[in-house]
């Protein structure tokens, strides 16, 4: 369950004024009749997912997991951010279980790739290359380097340790996978990269990392049910979407996604891609930024409190986290911290949240939206992701733009290819 609290959002308009436009955009999403309608496969995916493929995902992960120290996930943008977000949100930043998951294919940095290479070269490796187009340069470069490593290590048997997640029929990667006989999984035609966490793009990596794909999909189905009625009195995703649009109209240019858990940093990166690539078009859109408090209160806090009033905050707050610590008592109170002895750190974090909320909204004049999520379970991860898909689709349609393309990303590629001498 994810609840939206708008009591600190300082909205100057009533949400209900948007109801008709919301109804229309809801139809565009559900009846595939809006801009980019070829890419709304994610809407019904919580029910329509390929059941046989999910069984195969679980089988492959179970078979290879035992002989794997490191799973290398090779992809960029929507082809890796969702899996990384899930791993960190659900399993934490230092999980004890094997295999370790390392992400490559998302950078040209030789320094990073060399570090990963040296770290994994003597370990047991499985390589999952993920690219819908099959031609993304960052991914292709990493894939060639690490494929060669596997071929040198395992010879003919390298093929059994390479898994390709790509288009069902087309693309260089699909051709290579068929030729080499790699295990393959499909990125559905009607689901774009940043909307693909619930497909094999995300679920294979999750299964390797011990996160049950069924629980994640169950969470997405619960969100589907809660968000299938467009009425703004109870559709939390659309309430959030409309609040964003009102704040945009009020002159705020940036939305800062705030969490109070360090293991949510990758969720924030995923969220920034979802909203940034979907909404930042035609000179429009809110700039998505992020911060983790209280850590970043010691860096960005000053600006938020007293700087230019260009942003509003959206806090994603957990009602319960899995882990907690009770603060210890000391006989001699040398650090004057005994006033917290016996208190849970979750309570201290909550007080930090409440104090900061008041400082930023009451004193700083910064509007805050609060999203309350139950916990950091696999189920809640699935619920939260579907909530943001729906909110993002609605936000973009209310702005009049196509949420599912990213034409601007091609510009840097063209310039770079020219410099690299690509034909
Ligand atoms: O959301 C998107 O569509 C993009 O971020 C893509 O996922 C990213 O560019 C990678 O593309 P591909 O999967 O074709 O390699």
């Amino acid at each position: 369950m994810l609840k939206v609290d708008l009591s600190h959002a300082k909205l100057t308009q009533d949400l209900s004024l948007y109801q008709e436009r919301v109804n229309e955009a809801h139809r565009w999403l559900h009846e595939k009749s809006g801009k980019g309608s070829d890419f709304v496969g994610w809407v019904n995916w919580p029910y329509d997912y390929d059941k046989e493929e999910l069984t195969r995902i679980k089988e492959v992960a179970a078979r290879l997991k035992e002989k794997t120290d490191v799973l290398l996930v090779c992809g960029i943008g929507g082809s890796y951010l969702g899996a990384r977000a899930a791993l960190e949100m659900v399993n934490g930043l230092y999980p004890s279980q094997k295999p370790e998951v390392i992400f490559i294919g998302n950078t040209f940095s030789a320094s990073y790739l060399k570090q990963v290479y040296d770290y994994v070269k003597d370990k047991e490796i499985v390589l999952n290359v993920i690219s819908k187009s099959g031609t993304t340069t960052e991914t292709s470069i990493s894939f060639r380097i690490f494929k060669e490593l596997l071929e040198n290590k395992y010879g003919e048997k390298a093929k059994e340790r390479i898994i390709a997640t790509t288009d069902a029929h087309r693309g260089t990667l699909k051709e290579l996978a068929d030729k080499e006989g790699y295990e393959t999984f499909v990125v559905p035609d009607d689901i774009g990269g940043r909307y693909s966490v619930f497909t094999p793009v995300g679920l294979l990596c999750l299964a390797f990392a011990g996160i049950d794909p069924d629980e994640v999909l169950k969470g997405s189905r619960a969100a589907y049910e809660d968000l299938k009625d467009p009425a703004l009195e109870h559709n939390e995703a659309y309430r959030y979407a409309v609040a964003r649009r009102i704040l945009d109209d009020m002159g705020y240019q940036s939305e800062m996604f705030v969490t109070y858990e360090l293991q949510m940093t990758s969720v924030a990166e995923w969220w920034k891609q979802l909203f940034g690539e979907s909404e930042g078009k035609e000179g429009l859109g809110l700039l998505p930024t992020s911060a983790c408090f209280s850590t970043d209160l010691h860096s960005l806090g000053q600006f938020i409190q007293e700087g230019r009033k260009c942003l509003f905050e959206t806090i994603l707050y957990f009602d319960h986290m899995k882990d907690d610590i009770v603060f210890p008592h000391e006989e001699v109170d040398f650090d004057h911290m005994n006033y917290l002895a016996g208190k849970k750190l979750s309570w201290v974090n909550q007080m930090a949240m409440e104090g900061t909320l008041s400082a930023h909204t009451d004193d700083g004049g910064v509007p805050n939206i609060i999203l309350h999520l139950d916990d950091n379970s696999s189920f809640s991860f699935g619920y939260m992701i579907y909530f943001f898909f729906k909110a993002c689709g609605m936000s973009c349609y209310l702005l009049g733009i196509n949420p599912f393309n990213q034409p601007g990303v091609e510009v840097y590629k063209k310039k770079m290819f020219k410099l690299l001498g690509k034909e």
Side-chain angles (χ1 to χ4, degrees):
M1 186 73 97
L2 200 157
K3 284 271 169 212
V4 180
D5 175 359
L6 297 176
S7 59
H8 304 273
K10 302 176 185 287
L11 302 182
T12 53
Q13 261 189 308
D14 205 276
L15 297 193
S16 59
L17 295 172
Y18 280 76
Q19 188 64 66
E20 267 182 42
R21 289 172 62 198
V22 165
N23 291 346
E24 184 182 36
H26 180 76
R27 280 196 298 277
W28 291 339
L29 287 173
H30 280 261
E31 295 169 8
K32 304 186 189 202
S33 51
K35 289 184 182 172
S37 59
D38 287 347
F39 291 95
V40 288
W42 57 269
V43 173
N44 292 325
W45 189 256
Y47 288 102
D48 288 356
Y49 67 91
D50 185 332
K51 318 293 178 293
E52 281 169 25
E53 196 171 48
L54 181 63
T55 307
R56 197 158 55 84
I57 284 174
K58 290 191 254 179
E59 279 167 7
V60 169
R63 172 160 49 83
L64 290 176
K65 218 164 132 155
E66 293 315 314
K67 50 178 180 181
T68 310
D69 296 323
V70 177
L71 171 69
L72 290 172
V73 175
C74 182
I76 194 165
S79 288
Y80 90 104
L81 283 164
R84 198 177 74 179
L87 260 46
E88 294 185 9
M89 172 170 155
V90 179
N91 287 350
L93 293 172
Y94 303 102
S96 50
Q97 78 264 33
K98 292 233 155 175
E100 185 179 353
V101 179
I102 297 181
F103 295 94
I104 55 171
N106 52 4
T107 179
F108 292 125
S109 164
S111 179
Y112 175 75
L113 292 173
K114 178 78 168 55
Q115 286 164 41
V116 176
Y117 193 98
D118 290 344
Y119 179 72
V120 302
K121 66 181 191 306
D122 298 321
K123 297 188 161 63
E124 298 299 335
I125 314 166
V126 165
L127 173 57
N128 178 204
V129 55
I130 308 173
S131 178
K132 183 168 178 168
S133 61
T135 55
T136 302
T137 317
E138 289 87 343
T139 305
S140 303
I141 283 182
S142 279
F143 181 54
R144 185 185 281 204
I145 293 168
F146 285 88
K147 177 168 85 68
E148 188 187 70
L149 170 65
L150 264 81
E151 285 167 353
N152 291 340
K153 250 171 101 78
Y154 301 111
E156 266 299 296
K157 289 207 172 293
K159 292 174 185 174
E160 296 166 19
R161 288 175 171 267
I162 298 177
I163 305 163
T165 306
T166 188
D167 188 272
H169 312 288
R170 293 176 295 269
T172 325
L173 182 57
K174 174 67 184 156
E175 281 167 31
L176 178 73
D178 286 347
K179 181 172 148 286
E180 296 290 333
Y182 301 151
E183 182 86 47
T184 56
F185 291 99
V186 172
V187 190
D189 275 347
D190 57 356
I191 299 184
R194 58 193 176 276
Y195 296 83
S196 69
V197 195
F198 299 132
T199 74
V201 170
L203 296 187
L204 180 66
C205 172
L206 269 54
F208 263 93
I211 297 176
D212 185 356
D214 286 317
E215 272 300 298
V216 173
L217 287 165
K218 209 163 124 193
S220 73
R221 279 195 295 280
Y224 178 98
E225 292 302 324
D226 287 351
L227 304 172
K228 69 183 180 192
D229 173 356
L232 282 166
E233 297 95 72
H234 30 251
N235 191 311
E236 301 288 319
Y238 293 171
R239 284 162 55 75
Y240 169 51
V242 171
R244 297 178 79 250
R245 286 285 70 90
I246 295 175
L247 287 160
D248 190 347
D249 285 347
M250 285 164 64
Y252 294 99
Q253 298 185 335
S254 178
E255 178 177 15
M256 182 173 275
F257 181 80
V258 173
T259 65
Y260 279 76
E261 300 293 342
L262 285 170
Q263 70 198 72
M264 291 299 281
T265 306
S266 285
V267 169
E269 293 306 311
W270 172 86
W271 175 91
K272 284 193 276 191
Q273 191 219 356
L274 179 70
F275 281 90
E277 249 182 18
S278 300
E279 197 175 73
K281 283 160 213 168
E282 303 177 26
L284 298 170
L286 290 160
L287 170 69
T289 59
S290 67
C292 184
F293 291 167
S294 66
T295 317
D296 295 333
L297 288 174
H298 297 258
S299 58
L300 295 167
Q302 172 62 35
F303 184 96
I304 300 165
Q305 192 69 46
E306 296 183 349
R308 183 186 283 242
K309 296 297 154 208
C310 55
L311 62 88
F312 67 91
E313 293 168 282
T314 294
I315 305 172
L316 179 72
Y317 195 75
F318 291 104
D319 293 333
H320 308 282
M321 288 293 287
K322 259 187 281 193
D323 300 316
D324 213 338
I325 292 180
V326 175
F327 191 63
H329 177 269
E330 288 219 2
E331 276 312 309
V332 182
D333 189 16
F334 67 95
D335 54 2
H336 310 293
M337 294 298 288
N338 265 356
Y339 76 101
L340 291 177
K343 301 275 194 238
K344 290 179 176 171
L345 283 193
S346 59
W347 177 81
V348 176
N349 211 13
Q350 188 188 337
M351 294 306 108
M353 191 280 257
E354 289 177 17
T356 307
L357 178 65
S358 170
H360 288 184
T361 56
D362 303 335
D363 303 15
V366 177
N368 268 236
I369 297 173
I370 308 171
L371 310 177
H372 281 278
L373 184 59
D374 289 343
D375 54 32
N376 60 320
S377 63
S378 318
F379 178 92
S380 291
F381 175 80
Y383 193 107
M384 174 193 76
I385 294 289
Y386 193 83
F387 168 94
F388 282 129
F389 283 168
K390 219 66 200 282
C392 185
M394 177 56 65
S395 286
C396 293
Y397 277 158
L398 290 177
L399 203 53
I401 55 172
N402 179 352
F404 309 116
N405 61 0
Q406 53 282 331
V409 183
E410 296 311 310
V411 184
Y412 98 89
K413 292 186 191 168
K414 276 200 195 115
K415 304 238 178 204
M416 177 183 73
F417 289 149
K418 196 166 172 214
L419 293 170
L420 291 173
K422 186 178 176 183
E423 294 282 300

